Amino acid sequence: MRTSRRMLKQVRRALFAAFLFSGCINILMLATPLYILQIFETVVPLGSLETLLLLSAMVAAALLTSAAVEFARDNILLRSAYWLDHELGHYILENGVRLATPGSEMRQDAAALDRLRAFIASPSLIPFFDAPWTPVFLLALLALNPTIGLMATGCAALLLGISLLLGAVTSRAEAERAKSAERSQQWWQTVTGNAQYAGALGLARGAADGWELSNRAQVSAGYSIGKRTALLRAISRFVRIAAQIALYGVGAWLVIRGEIAPGALVAAAILLGRALAPLEGLVGSMRALQGAYAGYRRLASLPPDAVTPRLAASREPIVGRMEIRDVTYFHPGRKAPALRSVSVTVEPGDVIGIVGPNGSGKSTLAALLAGAIIPSQGAADLDGIPIAKWQRVAPAPPIGYLPDEPLLIEGTVHENIARFCDAPMMAIADAAIRAGVLETLKSLPFGFDTPVGPQGHALALRERRAVAFARAVFGQPRIVVVDEPELGLDGTALRRLVATLNDLKAAGTTLVLATQDPRLLELCDGIVVMNAGTIQAAGPAAEVRSRIPLDRRPAAERSEQPAVH
């Protein structure tokens, strides 16, 4: 079973290998100060050209090896970062959809993955790999001279303290900035995604002002973090430069006293620079570390793979009995339930109509029967297994669903009908024929190869619904749930829809129709009347009609054909 923890564990192994490579790089960097020390201590006093050539060849080999190891380390980090982005991104999207994770949660998961990937692939991670090897250089300085070593150790401790202080003073503000940035980005995407409608509705000024309010908190938090970071970075730079100057001053004093040689002073300066560089880099990388660590913790807590029925393995057709038992459902952020203690049973081959006024819960009940939503309380089962689990079996769920607002993903008509899986053209055409929309789709500029655009906005509403209806019957599902199928249809199109539903009924397909149109209710064997989230009446169609008048339109209006929306 795939889990985010297993993927992160593989990346941790790669990071540990990169850390060991960093250790090799740092050890090889000792070649430079040793070379300088030998030049002053051996080559110059003896005047040996052979020794100089040998030492130069050795240090050149060390530097070339260091460059090769550094290239390998950076390549490991890049491959790890983008492997994680690809594999875990696929996992977040697929498993989130299967588990019906709210879109806002999936967007936050994707943002956390983006932060972690960017941190691993960026130079901000390198100081955290180099800093643990700082004691190697400090020990070398202590070996050269205890006074210089103690001074360098004190400066290193001070820079480490500044890094930790920066993390402490910016962590809370960084969390507030991240939340504000997410709200601001969501506002921006909502308005720009519907810019034409927003302009026609007179929302230009108000939308911009609303975004400015949501963005103000982000700007304020970002400015506060920037000021603190700039101050501590300036202090850390001052400490590093002051340490280098102090080294030369103390080193000159020690040379004068004869405690160290001039070559040791030059070597000490190189060692000190190498010891303090990653600690100063920690200050600039601390914000990136905080964001990456928060993302890591979020990703590590993702749920494991959704467990779904293995239809392809058993090859046994479903019976098709749906049972809703005492279901209550709350829309996110709502206190009042959209459905309250609803119980319905749909037998195989039934044609059930769901009627009721606007806001009565008929669309919510249809979505529940299609597995689009998960009950807050109660159970919604198909053959004893939760409907939501059945529906998340790819690529052919047992229930076809046409919501009132069709969902299309950027791609072609063919790809959307096939649910972005491999499918021959004949299978797509067959689905269009069964849905009665073949002529509508053939009339598109490029037929089934017509791009639908972002969210399907390159198509008209009637065309989007035609694609969604063909997708609903693609794969010949045993059950089809349609919500307001008459929307946007004229008289001719409505008669074609009735004929299509009749054909599906004759083929033994179980149909659930959430509709207000009495002509579609004529097809139904049973009717469920919804009112304020509860079932007002349910039973055989003739019996429900005799108890509750379902067509309350005036007689003159009943004779009219539905208009095009």
Side-chain angles (χ1 to χ4, degrees):
M1 177 181 293
R2 295 184 307 168
T3 65
S4 60
R5 287 182 176 272
R6 290 183 179 179
M7 298 181 193
L8 292 171
K9 184 178 181 180
Q10 291 183 350
V11 172
R12 288 201 305 269
R13 290 174 179 172
L15 294 183
F16 181 71
F19 171 73
L20 295 180
F21 277 39
S22 291
C24 294
I25 294 170
N26 281 275
I27 292 174
L28 288 170
M29 291 304 296
L30 291 172
T32 302
L34 288 175
Y35 177 75
I36 297 296
L37 188 61
Q38 289 300 314
I39 288 292
F40 281 92
E41 296 290 334
T42 304
V43 174
V44 173
L46 297 178
S48 175
L49 184 59
E50 293 79 4
T51 305
L52 175 61
L53 292 175
L54 179 60
L55 289 174
S56 299
M58 293 174 61
V59 76
L63 293 178
L64 286 173
T65 304
S66 175
V69 174
E70 184 174 2
F71 174 77
R73 179 195 65 184
D74 293 347
N75 193 43
I76 290 174
L77 295 177
L78 283 173
R79 289 174 64 89
S80 300
Y82 288 101
W83 177 87
L84 182 67
D85 183 76
H86 179 75
E87 294 293 329
L88 193 51
H90 183 277
Y91 175 83
I92 290 171
L93 185 59
E94 180 182 7
N95 208 45
V97 171
R98 290 190 179 209
L99 294 173
T101 304
S104 59
E105 292 293 320
M106 293 176 64
R107 286 192 293 270
Q108 291 180 25
D109 294 339
L113 175 59
D114 186 64
R115 290 195 301 270
L116 182 57
R117 187 264 306 156
F119 179 69
I120 295 175
S122 72
S124 299
L125 178 60
I126 302 304
F128 296 95
F129 282 171
D130 288 340
W133 302 100
T134 292
V136 173
F137 298 96
L138 295 179
L139 288 175
L141 287 168
L142 285 169
L144 282 176
N145 185 269
T147 303
I148 293 178
L150 291 175
M151 183 191 69
T153 302
C155 293
L158 185 57
L159 286 175
L160 181 60
I162 293 173
S163 301
L164 297 176
L165 178 62
L166 177 62
V169 300
T170 60
S171 58
R172 188 170 181 178
E174 181 63 28
E176 295 176 355
R177 188 205 63 79
K179 292 180 180 179
S180 301
E182 182 181 358
R183 289 195 300 267
S184 176
Q185 185 177 16
Q186 289 178 353
W187 184 282
W188 183 277
Q189 291 177 346
T190 300
V191 175
T192 55
N194 301 275
Q196 293 179 338
Y197 297 106
L201 295 172
L203 294 174
R205 178 64 180 274
D209 290 345
W211 173 82
E212 191 274 334
L213 288 174
S214 64
N215 193 57
R216 186 177 297 170
Q218 174 194 355
V219 172
S220 176
Y223 180 67
S224 175
I225 294 171
K227 286 198 304 182
R228 298 171 187 177
T229 302
L231 174 62
L232 292 178
R233 288 181 68 177
I235 293 175
S236 66
R237 187 175 294 110
F238 167 78
V239 170
R240 178 181 60 81
I241 296 175
Q244 290 176 328
I245 293 175
L247 173 68
Y248 281 109
V250 172
W253 176 67
L254 293 174
V255 169
I256 293 173
R257 296 184 58 182
E259 295 186 17
I260 61 172
L265 175 59
V266 178
I270 297 174
L271 289 170
L272 180 65
R274 187 63 188 177
L276 300 184
L279 297 178
E280 184 184 6
L282 292 180
V283 178
S285 301
M286 191 58 66
R287 281 183 60 187
L289 174 67
Q290 290 174 336
Y293 181 65
Y296 175 87
R297 292 179 58 189
R298 182 179 183 89
L299 295 173
S301 64
L302 290 176
D305 257 342
V307 179
T308 55
R310 300 183 62 181
L311 295 180
S314 65
R315 298 187 180 276
E316 296 178 0
I318 65 170
V319 176
R321 186 175 190 272
M322 292 194 293
E323 187 177 5
I324 308 298
R325 299 189 305 275
D326 198 26
V327 165
T328 297
Y329 177 75
F330 293 85
H331 287 297
R334 299 288 186 90
K335 295 182 178 180
L339 296 176
R340 183 185 297 110
S341 301
V342 171
S343 296
V344 175
T345 299
V346 181
E347 298 293 342
D350 279 354
V351 179
I352 303 297
I354 305 175
V355 300
N358 291 334
S360 62
K362 62 180 184 297
S363 292
T364 305
L365 179 56
L368 183 72
L369 288 167
I373 58 177
I374 297 177
S376 303
Q377 300 174 7
D381 294 341
L382 170 63
D383 293 349
I385 298 176
I387 297 174
K389 286 190 176 182
W390 283 103
Q391 285 301 91
R392 282 145 182 85
V393 178
I399 302 176
Y401 179 41
L402 171 63
D404 57 349
E405 180 62 34
L407 169 65
L408 301 183
I409 302 175
E410 187 170 6
T412 64
V413 170
H414 182 121
E415 291 171 330
N416 274 273
I417 294 176
R419 303 186 180 97
F420 287 85
C421 297
D422 291 333
M425 178 60 71
M426 291 303 297
I428 302 301
D430 179 68
I433 292 171
R434 296 183 71 234
V437 297
L438 180 62
E439 295 302 322
T440 300
L441 299 182
K442 284 175 60 178
S443 65
L444 294 173
F446 301 100
F448 291 106
D449 293 326
T450 301
V452 303
Q455 301 179 5
H457 287 167
L459 305 180
L461 175 61
R462 177 178 63 88
E463 296 165 343
R464 294 201 300 272
R465 292 185 67 82
V467 175
F469 197 12
R471 178 178 58 196
V473 301
F474 174 74
Q476 300 184 357
R478 294 288 302 275
I479 304 166
V480 175
V481 179
V482 291
D483 189 4
E484 303 284 358
E486 71 276 10
L487 288 179
L489 301 182
D490 57 16
T492 302
L494 183 59
R495 286 192 293 271
R496 190 184 304 118
L497 172 65
V498 172
T500 297
L501 295 176
N502 261 320
D503 291 342
L504 292 173
K505 178 180 179 180
T509 303
T510 303
L511 297 176
V512 177
L513 312 176
T515 180
Q516 298 279 30
D517 197 297
R519 285 156 290 194
L520 297 181
L521 294 177
E522 294 291 335
L523 303 171
C524 298
D525 306 318
I527 294 178
V528 176
V529 182
M530 298 296 298
N531 188 19
T534 61
I535 296 179
Q536 182 180 353
E543 179 184 331
V544 173
R545 287 195 189 94
S546 65
R547 291 165 49 193
I548 300 176
L550 301 178
D551 190 0
R552 300 186 176 91
R553 298 178 302 166
E557 184 180 340
R558 294 177 198 172
S559 62
E560 296 179 358
Q561 298 291 351
V564 178
H565 292 272

